[in-house]
Amino acid sequence: MAVPAITLVGLSHKTASVAVRELYAFDDEQARAVLEDLKARGVQEAVLLSTCNRVEVYGVSSGETGHQEIRSKIVESLAMAKGVNSNEIVPHLYTLEGIAAIRHLFRVAASLDSLVLGEPQILGQTKSAYRIASEAGTVGPVLGRFFERAFKVAKEVRSSTGVGTGQVSVGSIAVDLARKVFGDLAKCTVLLLGAGKMAEAVAKTLAAAGAQKVVVANRTVERAMAVAEQFGWSGVSLENLRSLLIEADVVIASVAYPGFIIDRAGLRALMSKRRYRPMFMVDIAVPRVLDPKAADLEGIYLYNIDDFNQIITEHLQRRAQDVRLADAVIEREVQGIDRYLKKLEIQPLVSQLGKRAADLRQRETQRALMELGDLTDAQRKVVEALANSLVNKLMADPLATLQKAAQDGDVNQLADAARRLFHLQGSDSPHDDALAHFDASPNDALAYFDAAPHDALAHFDAALHDDAASHDAAPHTVPQAAPNAQPNDGDDNQ
């Protein structure tokens, strides 16, 4: 038996330059279109996460070759959305499967895989991706539960380790670079392009760094003014960009714009009007909005987020202990999930064995009671208790051995032997069987995820945190049948 195939396909700052990442960046509407396409291709569940530094698709499919199938469908969908051949994107992609994909999701949400360790934006971006997928109808019981779990783990990492302490973000690094070049930012004229969440975070960092002459420019002037007024600055329209650039010492771009907001030729003309007074420019937008070819112009000092490597390396060295603590938190959760998934993998077989034992017990108990004739209620209870006890004791060791083998990852041969010994048939659709346990009904014995919304993960949390002894030693009880019930030939609901 196999659990649903959880597959991750993506690219990030670790595998692709900003020039590649900007090509495959997706806004919300484009993400919805990809999710709809994946659904049409037969992918059961999908979430697309697109940020400045990564594009990742988490998917779930069924079938014994589910991982290969879903990877191909994701690659084809991404390539089609961007109008390129699949071969062009493949060299930049990584693929993770099963528990490795879940571990990666947890690290991403906790900002351990970010370009800047501990940056706070990624958790919100992950939640936004999850919301968009939910609205598109591509979140089901599998990804839904693991993303919800990722959000809880990310909060635990931030509250129990030092990963999230201090000013850590792409924007804060941009401001730090500006301070290294100009020293006191209070003496500089700063132009902040954009007024979204990232730009607002940059604004807070600029204010903390002592910047006083700051102009926020945005396509929506009302939004620019809303950000600027928090700090006593001015907010203007991007229509005034050229005149603003003539006055600016520092330019930080964090704005969504179709193409370059100003090209090399435009900047060259502006530098002449500035008398080649130096201008420090940092483009933290993806796709980029400042023409990278302008970097060779006299007086222009242009950086993008791929130029932050040295500062990031120093930051990582300072945070090494925090990373170890955070990874320990994540690994504890991942190992709990791994145990659960391995148990889930053989749950259809366990259910079949339980049903077979319950049917035999019921049938033989009824036969014995009929042959014994008139019995008192007390005598009938003794017979039924004897049958229950015998069956439970006979089945306890085989079931415990199967559970232990599943946890150890060595269950296939033992499971096949159990099916032959007890004359059981393999599931016609093992992945669907496993999905049924994720999407449990109120009568399902594995209803870990069928709790009320406010407590949706309570049973799952309990299952994940069981200690090893409880996994190995807990006796398995065969389901009880009503005294006069007939054997059930339908699906077992234990």
Side-chain angles (χ1 to χ4, degrees):
M1 297 292 175
V3 298
I6 304 169
T7 308
L8 159 65
V9 179
L11 57 83
S12 74
H13 58 94
K14 295 181 178 180
T15 65
S17 68
V18 67
V20 174
R21 299 199 303 275
E22 66 187 7
L23 176 61
Y24 295 101
F26 293 87
D27 61 26
D28 291 355
E29 288 305 314
Q30 292 170 333
R32 288 187 181 92
V34 171
L35 294 172
E36 291 291 341
D37 180 64
L38 289 171
K39 187 193 301 184
R41 292 174 185 267
V43 177
Q44 293 177 333
E45 302 182 35
V47 174
L48 190 157
L49 172 62
S50 180
T51 73
C52 294
N53 295 310
R54 74 183 63 249
V55 176
E56 295 180 341
V57 178
Y58 296 80
V60 172
S61 69
S62 61
E64 290 299 333
T65 56
H67 291 302
Q68 292 90 344
E69 291 176 1
I70 197 170
R71 182 184 187 279
S72 296
K73 291 174 180 178
I74 290 172
V75 172
E76 291 167 3
S77 187
L78 292 175
M80 185 185 74
K82 293 301 181 180
V84 300
N85 188 287
S86 297
N87 293 334
E88 296 180 39
I89 188 174
V90 166
H92 307 289
L93 295 176
Y94 46 83
T95 302
L96 296 172
E97 302 171 354
I99 200 68
I102 296 169
R103 179 184 289 108
H104 182 83
L105 170 61
F106 286 8
R107 297 191 88 251
V108 167
S111 189
L112 296 185
D113 198 63
S114 295
L115 177 66
V116 182
L117 176 71
E119 55 91 3
Q121 287 82 19
I122 185 61
L123 180 56
Q125 292 167 331
T126 307
K127 288 182 176 180
S128 179
Y130 176 71
R131 174 185 54 78
I132 291 169
S134 298
E135 293 171 352
T138 60
V139 171
V142 181
L143 289 184
R145 304 315 175 190
F146 290 130
F147 267 80
E148 290 171 11
R149 190 71 196 162
F151 302 150
K152 293 186 68 174
V153 171
K155 290 179 180 178
E156 182 179 352
V157 166
R158 297 191 76 83
S159 64
S160 64
T161 73
V163 164
T165 59
Q167 294 287 336
V168 284
S169 68
V170 170
S172 68
I173 289 180
V175 175
D176 286 344
L177 281 173
R179 281 196 296 188
K180 288 182 178 179
V181 172
F182 288 95
D184 187 2
L185 291 183
K187 300 177 181 178
C188 299
T189 298
V190 181
L191 174 60
L192 176 58
L193 302 180
K197 291 182 178 179
M198 179 71 79
E200 190 167 9
V202 173
K204 293 177 181 178
T205 307
L206 283 169
Q212 297 176 7
K213 295 179 59 179
V214 180
V215 178
V216 180
N218 194 52
R219 284 186 291 181
T220 306
V221 68
E222 292 80 10
R223 178 60 188 159
M225 294 176 65
V227 173
E229 288 173 357
Q230 299 179 51
F231 310 98
W233 304 333
S234 60
V236 300
S237 170
L238 277 175
E239 293 178 357
N240 304 318
L241 179 63
R242 292 182 181 275
S243 61
L244 294 171
L245 287 171
I246 292 175
E247 300 299 325
D249 299 305
V250 177
V251 180
I252 300 177
S254 178
V255 63
Y257 197 84
F260 295 132
I261 200 167
I262 188 166
D263 60 16
R264 183 179 185 278
L267 281 172
R268 182 172 56 185
L270 286 175
M271 290 306 292
S272 175
K273 294 181 179 180
R274 288 169 55 92
R275 298 176 184 263
Y276 299 96
R277 180 166 47 88
M279 180 162 56
F280 177 81
M281 310 180 82
V282 185
D283 190 350
I284 59 176
V286 177
R288 290 170 293 180
V289 295
L290 301 178
D291 188 349
K293 294 179 181 178
D296 64 356
L297 293 174
E298 182 181 353
I300 293 284
Y301 299 89
L302 176 58
Y303 298 85
N304 62 56
I305 55 180
D306 278 356
D307 297 319
F308 294 175
N309 290 334
Q310 182 177 352
I311 295 175
I312 291 167
T313 299
E314 294 172 357
H315 177 67
L316 285 173
Q317 291 172 346
R318 292 195 300 270
R319 296 296 183 87
Q321 178 61 20
D322 294 324
V323 172
R324 284 193 290 271
L325 292 173
D327 273 327
V329 171
I330 289 174
E331 195 58 29
R332 185 189 69 226
E333 299 295 332
V334 168
Q335 290 304 315
I337 290 173
D338 193 33
R339 288 196 302 269
Y340 173 75
L341 289 177
K342 287 174 178 176
K343 290 178 68 175
L344 180 64
E345 190 171 359
I346 64 159
Q347 190 58 39
L349 173 58
V350 171
S351 295
Q352 285 182 308
L353 285 171
K355 182 179 182 299
R356 173 60 60 86
D359 289 348
L360 289 172
R361 179 193 61 211
Q362 176 65 24
R363 185 165 58 249
E364 295 306 314
T365 299
Q366 292 299 317
R367 180 182 300 168
L369 290 174
M370 290 177 64
E371 291 180 2
L372 289 170
D374 293 335
L375 296 176
T376 66
D377 288 344
Q379 290 170 330
R380 291 178 63 88
K381 290 179 179 178
V382 169
V383 173
E384 291 165 356
L386 175 63
N388 289 340
S389 178
L390 285 173
V391 170
N392 284 336
K393 288 179 178 178
L394 284 170
M395 295 301 296
D397 284 343
L399 292 175
T401 301
L402 280 171
Q403 299 276 16
K404 181 64 166 61
Q407 292 180 41
D408 294 341
D410 187 28
V411 73
N412 290 338
Q413 289 185 345
L414 195 59
D416 289 341
R419 292 188 189 96
R420 291 197 301 270
L421 286 170
F422 289 94
H423 303 288
L424 302 174
Q425 297 297 319
S427 170
D428 291 334
S429 183
H431 281 73
D432 290 342
D433 259 357
L435 265 176
H437 290 296
F438 273 90
D439 198 19
S441 68
N443 295 321
D444 197 319
L446 276 185
Y448 288 110
F449 303 119
D450 198 52
H454 66 278
D455 199 26
L457 289 171
H459 295 298
F460 189 39
D461 290 346
L464 295 184
H465 291 100
D466 281 347
D467 58 56
S470 67
H471 283 286
D472 296 341
H476 188 100
T477 302
V478 175
Q480 304 295 312
N484 297 317
Q486 296 300 314
N488 178 13
D489 293 329
D491 292 337
D492 184 64
N493 287 323
Q494 74 160 339

